[in-house]
Amino acid sequence: MKIKQQSAIKRFLVQEFGEQKGLLYFGKQELFLQNIINTTKGKSKSQFKTLTQTILPRIALYRILMNYEPDTNVAFDTMRKYMIDIIAASKYRSTAKMEKVPGFFYIYKTAFLKIMRTTDLQDSIQEHGRKYYNITITRCLWHDACVEHGCPELCPLFCDVDDVTYGGLHKIGFSRTKTLGYGGDCCDFHFFQK
């Protein structure tokens, strides 16, 4: 199974640590990733796909950095840089491009709500009106995976990606007062038309 994110992780590690150390870390990350993919059981097809393509590569990267960088701040700060500067920045650029489509807020709201009603990646309650929609998430695959793989402290970085993705958009406003990753009892997303 080809995991698209792996090439970005490889480039990032080489850029951060130099070719020799970066490639060493990447090789270790790939082995660790394959092991946790092989031991992942009891997931639906969509959960397994999201885990393997999105969540587990980042967990594997973090766990390898924790193993090989003696200063735990280096591991976390490196992951923060990857998640914010690479992942979140890319998601923001993509969403900002989509904003140019006429009727963007309505289209995005409709698609987002439909996904949240039908997905098994989260348990959520949706509420919406003409110029807003709220999503309250009480269970999240990202949070569950971080806890299951012994790195709950990584989950807030997944939450932070949302802040960058939706922050600064021209047609959609975004706020949240708590997340599961930051220790809340839910993630309370509030989106509104600007």
Side-chain angles (χ1 to χ4, degrees):
M1 168 192 316
K2 182 168 174 53
I3 299 171
K4 297 175 191 173
Q5 189 173 171
Q6 286 301 94
S7 58
I9 288 174
K10 182 178 182 180
R11 278 192 309 275
F12 175 75
L13 287 171
V14 168
Q15 179 183 342
E16 287 300 300
F17 296 102
E19 187 165 353
Q20 185 176 1
K21 197 173 183 182
L23 291 176
L24 171 70
Y25 285 0
F26 180 68
K28 300 284 186 187
Q29 184 266 356
E30 280 202 307
L31 288 172
F32 191 87
L33 174 59
Q34 200 53 56
N35 183 51
I36 58 177
I37 288 172
N38 291 341
T39 58
T40 298
K41 306 287 184 225
K43 305 297 181 191
S44 71
K45 187 176 177 180
S46 63
Q47 289 170 339
F48 187 77
K49 180 180 178 184
T50 299
L51 283 165
T52 57
Q53 293 294 325
T54 304
I55 303 169
L56 295 180
R58 297 171 198 171
I59 288 175
L61 176 58
Y62 180 62
R63 294 293 302 275
I64 291 303
L65 290 170
M66 290 293 290
N67 287 344
Y68 289 93
E69 286 296 323
D71 181 349
T72 56
N73 289 334
V74 170
F76 189 82
D77 291 346
T78 302
M79 280 305 299
R80 180 163 191 72
K81 188 173 185 180
Y82 176 72
M83 296 286 282
I84 300 303
D85 295 355
I86 306 295
I87 301 300
S90 173
K91 289 181 76 164
Y92 171 78
R93 285 190 303 271
S94 174
T95 308
K97 276 184 191 174
M98 289 188 292
E99 265 197 311
K100 296 174 183 171
V101 173
F104 171 74
F105 180 82
Y106 176 77
I107 294 166
Y108 200 81
K109 176 181 86 166
T110 302
F112 200 105
L113 289 168
K114 181 177 180 184
I115 289 167
M116 294 306 289
R117 279 192 301 271
T118 59
T119 187
D120 66 350
L121 305 182
Q122 297 104 351
D123 291 339
S124 69
I125 300 164
Q126 306 85 39
E127 174 190 2
H128 61 92
R130 199 166 137 292
K131 294 192 174 202
Y132 77 95
Y133 58 104
N134 299 328
I135 310 291
T136 303
I137 297 172
T138 56
R139 185 196 57 81
C140 165
L141 186 64
W142 287 258
H143 179 258
D144 292 349
C146 288
V147 170
E148 182 180 324
H149 291 283
C151 53
E153 71 279 9
L154 181 63
C155 192
L157 293 181
F158 286 100
C159 303
D160 293 346
V161 168
D162 294 331
D163 294 331
V164 174
T165 301
Y166 299 112
L169 294 174
H170 299 293
K171 295 182 180 179
I172 293 182
F174 168 72
S175 66
R176 200 170 45 189
T177 65
K178 55 188 171 179
T179 69
L180 294 166
Y182 275 102
D185 59 344
C186 67
C187 304
D188 59 347
F189 289 80
H190 173 61
F191 294 92
F192 55 94
Q193 186 173 16
K194 285 185 172 179

